[in-house]
């Protein structure tokens, strides 16, 4: 027993074990959100979705997963073999690496980096590379359209995302996500979206700008994860399936896993930066490390739900409108917000 | 305008191009000399009193007497009158000038008539088959059509 | 809030050659992409060969014929004029009733058959129900084309209710073989009138809901306004018809302008595009014309149900129809897609000598290259969707 304990407490083993927690979380969460997406979509559309596998079809995500596992992994002959095989893992790796800095609770964060936010922005750009690889390597005209669209879109929307993250870090005064969350601890009134823990006058002055920033962050994150109305990279009615047209079996499932993981990631970032992360909305009531996990996941899930809701309601933007929205609407507004917030904080 | 008036105004202008006309038919029609169809069409389309701006339909015909034909159903959206034009050409020399320059819609209709009847529309901007594969043999709606035995190794008549 | 960048309408590229530092000359070039025959947005087996410069369409060449079933050849080998009717069903399978009616109308007019008034009323009710069902498919799939999936399912819920009415009447839900030369196959079953009235009251608010969900959605408007503008003169020159022609501002509806049946007895109005959110004749105008036509159809159905006379549902028609030799008639009705005409020629025998089907989808599709040049790929999907083609009728 002691030897086991000694083995487990070696730094390397410990970090591997701690690092595996998000992976387990992602897989469990992906099954839940797959079910949720189908059910929410169905109820929005006045139907029931799956009802036969288990109670209200709860076993269906498992069945789907098993089916995908068994499917043949088709690699087109003319495809760039190496890039084609590697692309789904690159996409997933980019998303998964970003989970390292997510503060799930006051005592658990994969890697408590001082440059956490910076790391997050940097490493999640890997997703773009992966999608571009997939689009290019498929050797399919529709796939390359999807890949290029995706690159243009994600690079454009990283600007507003990063800028709105800047707003939160300016107010909290730290790039460490754990610190940003701790800054907001103590109840709903301390959340950065409502001005954080600043003196009252500053808080009231800052409030409109943080609200705008938050809305923009939300819009930009929907675009970051390529979901309707910004799902151009896979735009089914235009590009068949976009960058993942040629994929099948587990590699295809990998893209989906990455998409859902990304969905949670952007929601979790928005929650950590603006909505108090793991801190309870009721001050010290129902707070603590374990409740922290609950609050963190629940808050993020609300956003996941909202993104699903939007997806099944809105049509899709066109490429030029998409870029217009990013460069000419969101980014200028954010610059204005940053300048205003900067003045308020200094004054 | 009544059908008679339309026929009169066409006869006045293109006397010899009007081969035959039937103003008392259920849908009055005029038979035009094939080589004059373009100018007659242009006149019908442009003349302000006639203004046949809408080509409802263009059908190929096989009269089964050695003659192929084209039937134009014309409509004026402005004056709401209608007329039918017909041309017929011998099967061996099935050439009719295109009217796709007058009515854009004739483009596809003429391709269809070429495809199914083998009527060649001289001056057509895009003289390809439209419904059948490009390498199909024969023109199926001709009354004497014999279907080919094989198409790319596939047996055709079953 | 969302604006589109202005693109030249007739975009022609001149590939720019660039010499790299290593002395290699590289240049951008246009790409040819096949959209279809297996593509989610071609609404069937249509192949669009598109030449694209990046996302911008330089040229678009439709290739059709994948669904060619030799309809016209078939008709010449029937033993009876009535036998053609089930074949017409399979042309525009989204609106079979109007196909049957067009053909029946041509034969009836050729034979000078007077159909009983009850038949005319039943045909009007059925055709207008069919128009709603067909427009619901058009509008629903148009939602999918624009990326919104939900309106499609909503419209299918409503369409099911119409199909139930059809099933009640003639047993079939898609291909009815209902309108026969000289009458209809069955009288309305008991309870039909009540159920149809129920549907009319149910469906009116649903149109408003669909409008709120899709038609006036900000993104949808931005996607469809000023896109695929079909100018009035081009529309007429290409003999477009139906919502395609009316969307371009031409007030032309065969139900009023080439009167047939009892449409003149009812209060209704053809709907035209007015360019409310963009240019007259853009995709949004064609869409809104369909939405408004559904309301008009409801008005017609309501009045027809109220005034439905009693009587026979089949005129005296000879068992074996033999028109005069040389008899010919081009009969046409306003199908949901536009002017559906049958040019029927007789040689005095029991089967037609020649039947030419003038399908509105075929003719409307021919204008697609004209209006899609200079648009983007995403626009092309919406433009093709707004034409509302049914490939069964394009290819026959």
């Amino acid at each position: 027993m002691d030897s086991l304990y000694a083995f487990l407490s070696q730094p390397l083993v410990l970090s591997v074990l701690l690092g595996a927690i998000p992976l387990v979380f992602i897989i469990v969460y992906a099954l839940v959100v797959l079910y949720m997406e189908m059910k929410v979509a169905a109820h929005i559309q006045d139907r029931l979705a799956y009802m036969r596998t288990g109670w209200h079809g709860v076993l269906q995500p498992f069945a789907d997963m098993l089916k995908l596992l068994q499917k043949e992994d088709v690699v087109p002959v003319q495809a760039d073999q190496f890039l084609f095989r590697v692309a789904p893992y690159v996409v997933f790796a980019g998303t998964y690496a970003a989970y390292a800095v997510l503060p799930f609770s006051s005592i658990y964060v994969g890697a408590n980096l001082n440059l956490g936010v910076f790391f997050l922005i940097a490493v999640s750009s890997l997703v773009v590379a992966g999608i571009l690889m997939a689009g290019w390597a498929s050797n399919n005209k529709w796939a390359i359209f999807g890949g290029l669209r995706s690159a243009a879109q994600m690079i454009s929307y990283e600007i507003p995302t990063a800028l709105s993250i800047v707003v939160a870090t300016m107010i909290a005064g730290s790039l460490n996500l754990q610190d940003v969350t701790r800054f907001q601890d103590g109840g709903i009134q301390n959340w950065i979206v409502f001005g954080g823990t600043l003196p009252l006058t500053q808080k009231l002055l800052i409030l409109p700008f943080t609200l705008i920033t938050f809305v923009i962050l939300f819009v930009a994150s929907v675009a970051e994860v390529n979901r309707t109305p910004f799902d151009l990279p896979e735009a089914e009615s235009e590009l068949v399936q976009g960058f993942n047209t040629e994929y099948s079996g587990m590699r295809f499932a990998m893209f989906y896993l990455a998409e859902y993981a990304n969905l949670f990631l952007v929601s979790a970032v928005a929650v950590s930066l603006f909505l108090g992360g793991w801190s309870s909305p009721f001050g010290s009531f129902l707070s603590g490390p374990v409740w922290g996990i609950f609050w963190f996941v629940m808050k993020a899930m609300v956003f996941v739900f909202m993104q699903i809701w939007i997806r099944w309601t809105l049509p899709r933007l066109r490429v030029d409108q998409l870029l217009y929205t990013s460069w000419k609407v969101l980014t200028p507004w954010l610059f204005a917000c940053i300048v205003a917030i900067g003045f308020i904080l200094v004054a | 305008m009544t059908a008679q008036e339309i026929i009169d105004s066409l006869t006045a202008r293109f006397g010899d191009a009007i081969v035959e006309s039937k103003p008392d038919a259920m849908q009055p029609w005029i038979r035009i000399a094939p080589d004059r169809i373009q100018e007659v069409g242009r006149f019908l389309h442009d003349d302000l009193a006639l203004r046949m701006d809408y080509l409802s339909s263009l059908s190929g015909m096989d009269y089964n007497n050695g003659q192929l034909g084209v039937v134009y159903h014309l409509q004026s959206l402005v004056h709401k009158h209608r007329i039918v034009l017909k041309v017929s050409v011998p099967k061996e020399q099935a050439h009719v000038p295109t009217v796709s320059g007058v009515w854009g819609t004739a483009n596809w209709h003429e391709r269809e008539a070429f495809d199914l009847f083998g009527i060649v529309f001289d001056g057509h901007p895009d003289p390809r088959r439209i419904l059948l594969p490009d390498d199909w043999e024969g023109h199926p709606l001709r009354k004497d059509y014999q279907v080919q035995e094989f198409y790319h190794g596939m047996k055709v008549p079953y | 809030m969302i604006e589109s960048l202005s693109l030249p309408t007739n975009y022609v590229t001149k590939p720019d050659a660039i010499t790299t530092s290593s002395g290699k000359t590289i240049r951008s070039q246009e790409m040819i992409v096949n959209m279809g025959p297996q593509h989610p947005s071609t609404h069937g087996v249509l192949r669009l060969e598109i030449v694209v410069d990046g996302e911008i369409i330089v040229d678009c060449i439709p290739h059709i014929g994948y669904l060619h079933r030799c309809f016209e050849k078939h008709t010449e080998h029937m033993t009876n004029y009535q036998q053609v009717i089930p074949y017409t069903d399979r042309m525009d399978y989204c609106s079979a009733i109007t196909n049957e009616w067009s053909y029946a109308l041509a034969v009836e007019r050729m034979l000078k058959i007077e159909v009983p008034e009850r038949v005319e009323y039943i045909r009007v009710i059925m055709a207008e129900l069919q128009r709603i069902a067909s427009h619901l498919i058009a509008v629903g799939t148009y939602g999918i084309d624009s990326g919104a999936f939900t309106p499609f399912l909503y419209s299918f819920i409503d369409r099911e209710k119409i199909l139930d009415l059809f099933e009640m009447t003639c047993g079939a839900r898609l291909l009815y073989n209902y309108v026969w030369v000289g009458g209809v196959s069955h009288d309305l079953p008991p309870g039909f009138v009540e159920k149809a009235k129920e549907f009319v009251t149910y469906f009116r608010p649903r149109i408003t809901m669909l409008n709120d969900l899709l038609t006036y959605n900000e993104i949808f408007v931005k996607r469809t306004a000023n896109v695929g503008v079909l100018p009035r003169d081009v529309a007429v020159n290409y003999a477009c018809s139906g919502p395609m022609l009316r969307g371009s501002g031409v007030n032309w509806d065969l139900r009023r302008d080439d009167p047939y049946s009892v449409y003149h007895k009812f209060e209704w109005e053809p709907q035209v595009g007015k360019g409310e959110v963009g240019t007259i004749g853009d995709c949004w105008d064609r869409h809104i014309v369909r939405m408004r036509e559904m309301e008009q159809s409801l008005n017609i159905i309501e009045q027809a149900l109220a005034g439905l006379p009693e009587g026979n549902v089949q005129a005296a028609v000879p068992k074996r129809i033999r028109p005069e030799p040389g008899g010919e008639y081009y009969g046409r009705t306003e199908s949901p897609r536009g002017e559906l005409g049958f040019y029927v020629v007789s040689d005095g025998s029991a089967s037609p000598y020649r039947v030419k089907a003038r399908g509105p989808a075929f003719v409307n599709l021919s204008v697609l290259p004209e209006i899609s040049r200079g648009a983007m790929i995403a626009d092309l999907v919406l433009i093709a969707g707004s034409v509302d083609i049914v490939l069964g009728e394009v290819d026959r």
Side-chain angles (χ1 to χ4, degrees):
Chain A
M1 195 65 203
D2 278 351
S3 62
L4 181 69
Y5 185 75
F7 173 73
L8 286 178
S9 50
Q10 282 172 33
L12 187 66
V13 176
L14 197 64
S15 62
V16 167
L17 282 180
L18 284 177
I21 293 177
L23 187 63
V24 175
F25 171 78
I26 288 173
I27 290 168
V28 173
Y29 148 86
L31 291 173
V32 172
V33 88
L34 197 67
Y35 183 76
M36 185 168 135
E37 168 121 53
M38 283 304 127
K39 280 290 180 188
V40 170
H43 285 275
I44 285 175
Q45 293 163 349
D46 207 350
R47 56 192 177 92
L48 289 170
Y50 20 68
M51 292 294 286
R52 310 222 168 174
T53 32
W55 180 81
H56 278 247
V58 283
L59 296 177
Q60 190 64 40
F62 295 95
D64 283 349
M65 199 176 66
L66 281 177
K67 179 197 76 179
L68 282 169
L69 274 171
Q70 291 173 58
K71 281 218 165 174
E72 188 190 349
D73 177 26
V74 183
V75 181
V77 180
Q78 298 277 310
D80 185 321
Q81 302 286 325
F82 176 69
L83 288 184
F84 186 86
R85 283 165 204 275
V86 132
Y89 303 109
V90 174
V91 172
F92 183 69
T95 311
Y96 178 48
Y99 271 69
V101 292
L102 282 189
F104 276 83
S105 149
S106 53
I107 54 158
Y108 176 73
V109 53
N112 197 7
L113 298 179
N114 279 334
L115 284 174
V117 173
F118 187 72
F119 172 82
L120 189 127
I121 297 170
V123 88
S124 60
S125 313
L126 209 57
V127 176
V128 187
I131 290 181
L132 201 51
M133 273 160 80
W136 167 259
S138 299
N139 196 14
N140 174 319
K141 286 169 181 172
W142 296 119
I144 191 118
F145 267 122
L148 290 174
R149 276 184 179 190
S150 175
Q153 172 178 340
M154 291 173 89
I155 290 168
S156 306
Y157 276 86
E158 246 160 46
I159 312 283
T161 315
L163 286 177
S164 36
I165 291 176
V166 164
V167 168
T169 51
M170 270 165 76
I171 295 170
S174 169
L175 283 175
N176 183 326
L177 274 174
Q178 190 68 283
D179 290 350
V180 176
T181 309
R182 207 158 276 144
F183 173 82
Q184 308 173 62
D185 201 6
I188 194 166
Q189 73 283 359
N190 288 345
W191 293 358
I192 287 181
V193 69
F194 301 123
T197 40
L198 296 171
L200 191 64
T201 37
Q202 266 190 341
K203 199 169 154 139
L204 287 177
L205 281 172
I206 226 169
L207 185 66
F209 300 106
T210 46
L211 281 174
I212 293 172
T213 312
F214 180 71
V215 171
I216 292 178
L217 174 66
F218 181 67
V219 173
S221 3
V222 178
E224 278 270 289
V225 288
N226 298 335
R227 284 177 73 89
T228 315
F230 306 105
D231 62 338
L232 285 92
E234 44 193 296
E236 198 207 327
S237 59
E238 296 154 27
L239 304 183
V240 192
Q241 244 330 307
F243 63 90
N244 58 27
T245 307
E246 296 288 349
Y247 281 88
S248 60
M250 244 359 251
R251 279 176 224 281
F252 177 73
M254 213 67 188
F255 279 121
Y256 261 71
L257 192 63
E259 184 188 320
Y260 283 128
N262 224 342
L263 191 61
F264 183 83
L265 178 72
V266 292
S267 311
V269 170
V271 163
S272 315
L273 289 171
F274 283 91
L275 299 181
W278 41 257
S279 71
S280 159
F282 314 113
S284 55
F285 180 62
L286 295 183
S287 68
V290 181
W291 277 111
I293 295 177
F294 170 78
W295 287 121
F296 183 77
V297 173
M298 276 304 125
K299 284 175 189 172
M301 285 309 262
V302 169
F303 283 93
V304 171
F305 171 76
M306 278 173 71
Q307 299 200 13
I308 293 175
W309 183 7
I310 289 172
R311 172 169 182 181
W312 297 105
T313 310
L314 293 182
R316 182 187 308 120
L317 286 170
R318 200 170 58 204
V319 164
D320 56 326
Q321 295 166 342
L322 174 100
L323 298 182
Y324 183 98
T325 314
S326 167
W327 292 108
K328 293 199 168 177
V329 182
L330 302 186
T331 313
W333 272 97
L334 270 173
F335 276 124
C337 284
I338 290 177
V339 170
I341 290 171
F343 271 113
I344 295 166
L345 287 177
V346 173
Chain B
M1 271 192 182
T2 62
Q4 190 60 54
E5 284 166 342
I6 296 170
I7 292 168
D8 289 346
S9 86
L10 278 185
T11 323
R13 200 181 156 98
F14 300 100
D16 53 329
I18 313 299
V19 179
E20 189 188 353
S21 65
K22 199 163 183 204
D24 56 340
M26 235 183 300
Q27 288 176 325
W29 53 266
I30 314 169
R31 192 180 299 280
I32 311 275
D35 52 332
R36 304 290 294 277
I37 184 70
Q38 232 170 22
E39 46 179 310
V40 173
R42 176 54 69 190
F43 173 72
L44 281 169
H45 181 275
D46 291 350
D47 188 75
L48 289 180
L50 292 164
R51 208 74 189 95
M52 294 287 190
D53 47 1
Y54 193 87
L55 177 64
S56 267
S57 169
L58 185 156
S59 330
M61 283 294 291
D62 181 355
Y63 292 109
N64 210 10
N65 55 0
Q67 296 273 312
L68 293 177
V70 183
V71 183
Y72 306 80
H73 288 92
L74 291 172
Q75 165 83 51
S76 169
L77 297 192
V78 187
H79 304 302
K80 303 197 174 175
H81 52 226
R82 302 165 70 176
I83 196 77
V84 182
L85 301 186
K86 293 182 176 184
V87 300
S88 49
V89 284
K91 209 173 231 176
E92 302 75 45
Q93 265 296 316
H95 285 264
V96 180
T98 176
V99 291
S100 57
V102 183
W103 298 283
T105 182
N107 187 324
W108 277 28
H109 281 302
E110 286 179 351
R111 278 176 69 187
E112 188 188 313
F114 163 70
D115 192 358
L116 303 178
F117 288 95
I119 301 165
V120 179
F121 289 89
D122 295 325
H124 192 280
D126 188 16
R128 289 180 294 134
R129 283 184 182 269
I130 189 165
L131 293 173
L132 304 180
D134 286 342
D135 52 357
W136 191 262
E137 287 166 27
H139 302 283
L141 281 187
R142 285 191 178 188
K143 293 287 176 186
D144 57 358
Y145 172 69
Q146 288 297 319
V147 73
Q148 66 202 60
E149 275 291 299
F150 286 97
Y151 177 71
H152 289 289
M154 291 175 276
K155 197 162 174 355
V156 180
Y158 54 91
Chain C
M1 191 155 124
I2 311 141
E3 305 249 327
S4 48
L5 303 173
S6 63
L7 294 166
T9 39
N10 269 318
Y11 187 90
V12 182
T13 47
K14 290 193 190 77
D16 295 321
I18 305 163
T19 313
T20 58
S21 51
S22 59
K24 246 191 192 166
T25 307
I26 51 173
R27 57 186 198 88
S28 70
Q29 58 182 29
E30 288 151 3
M31 181 160 78
I32 296 175
V33 194
N34 269 313
M35 196 181 240
Q38 311 294 334
H39 187 281
S41 302
T42 51
H43 298 232
V45 274
L46 166 70
R47 179 158 73 95
L48 297 174
E49 184 185 335
I50 50 180
V51 184
V52 287
D53 175 37
E55 289 253 359
I56 293 157
I57 288 157
V58 180
D59 202 3
C60 161
I61 307 155
H63 293 272
I64 62 171
Y66 290 91
L67 220 57
H68 183 53
R69 305 179 303 293
C70 322
F71 165 74
E72 289 172 13
K73 189 81 182 165
H74 274 308
T75 58
E76 295 170 15
H77 295 265
M78 296 290 134
T79 53
N80 192 336
Y81 274 80
Q82 299 272 26
Q83 276 189 343
V84 177
I85 286 171
Y87 285 84
T88 64
D89 275 345
R90 282 141 183 89
M91 282 175 47
D92 181 351
Y93 42 76
C94 292
S95 69
I97 293 273
T98 48
N99 301 352
E100 297 161 2
W101 195 2
S102 268
Y103 174 78
L105 185 91
V107 179
E108 282 160 8
R109 293 249 174 113
M110 188 161 75
L111 292 162
K112 301 199 176 70
I113 297 173
E114 280 290 319
V115 286
E117 197 168 24
R118 183 174 173 84
V119 171
E120 296 288 21
Y121 271 76
I122 293 175
R123 285 179 179 180
V124 166
I125 293 167
M126 289 301 178
E128 294 310 312
L129 283 172
Q130 182 74 86
R131 191 180 313 277
I132 295 173
S134 170
H135 280 352
L136 278 173
I137 296 188
V139 167
T141 50
Y142 202 47
I144 295 193
D145 288 342
S146 68
F149 196 80
T150 303
F152 173 72
L153 286 152
Y154 281 9
S155 51
F156 263 60
I157 293 169
D158 301 340
R159 180 171 172 267
E160 284 298 300
K161 296 193 193 299
I162 298 176
L163 298 192
D164 285 344
L165 288 171
F166 285 136
E167 189 182 6
M168 210 177 147
T169 313
C170 60
R173 291 175 72 83
L174 191 68
L175 309 165
Y176 314 101
N177 188 12
Y178 183 63
V179 178
W180 286 355
V181 175
V184 290
S185 72
H186 302 74
D187 200 352
L188 295 178
F192 178 91
V193 175
E194 291 72 39
K195 277 200 88 171
K197 278 181 180 160
E198 217 172 87
F199 173 78
V200 172
T201 22
Y202 157 83
F203 189 60
R204 258 183 224 284
R206 294 284 287 190
I207 298 179
T208 321
M209 191 202 68
L210 267 177
N211 273 334
D212 290 343
L213 185 63
L214 188 68
T215 315
Y216 294 105
N217 180 302
E218 174 90 2
I219 298 175
F220 182 78
V221 169
K222 291 289 176 196
R223 283 295 306 280
T224 50
N226 295 319
V227 166
V229 178
L230 174 63
R232 189 191 171 100
D233 52 330
V234 177
V236 174
N237 193 249
Y238 275 82
C240 296
S241 47
M244 194 80 177
L245 182 70
R246 289 192 286 276
S248 296
V250 184
N251 197 340
W252 180 261
D253 191 316
L254 293 177
R255 288 174 287 174
R256 185 198 59 196
D257 295 307
D258 182 17
Y260 59 96
S261 192
V262 285
Y263 279 109
H264 57 274
K265 292 188 180 171
F266 307 127
E267 295 257 331
W268 64 282
E269 245 170 64
Q271 298 298 312
V272 290
K274 304 188 189 91
E276 281 149 79
V277 297
T279 322
I280 293 186
D282 57 13
C283 289
W284 194 85
D285 273 353
R286 295 195 272 278
H287 174 81
I288 195 73
V289 164
R290 292 199 178 95
M291 296 303 295
R292 292 188 179 144
E293 274 186 16
M294 290 201 276
E295 280 170 43
Q296 295 298 325
S297 292
L298 285 181
N299 293 344
I300 297 175
I301 295 169
E302 219 165 28
Q303 295 168 51
L305 285 171
L308 187 66
E310 290 300 315
N312 214 338
V313 292
Q314 184 70 43
V317 175
K319 189 139 198 206
R320 188 148 277 203
I321 298 167
R322 284 177 188 276
E324 302 271 299
E328 57 173 51
Y329 198 85
Y330 176 70
R332 52 183 185 172
T333 62
E334 184 77 22
S335 97
R337 278 159 199 82
E339 174 177 336
L340 175 61
F342 282 92
Y343 176 47
V344 184
V345 182
S346 147
D347 63 349
S349 72
S351 68
Y353 180 75
R354 163 97 169 104
V355 174
K356 150 90 181 184
R358 183 265 195 221
F362 175 81
V363 178
N364 289 350
L365 183 64
S366 70
V367 83
L368 183 68
E370 291 287 324
I371 56 177
S372 58
R373 279 183 205 120
M376 301 179 95
I377 291 183
D379 291 336
L380 177 66
V381 168
L382 283 174
I383 296 171
S386 74
V387 178
D388 186 22
I389 42 170
V390 170
L391 266 300
E393 183 192 272
V394 174
D395 294 341
R396 280 157 290 150

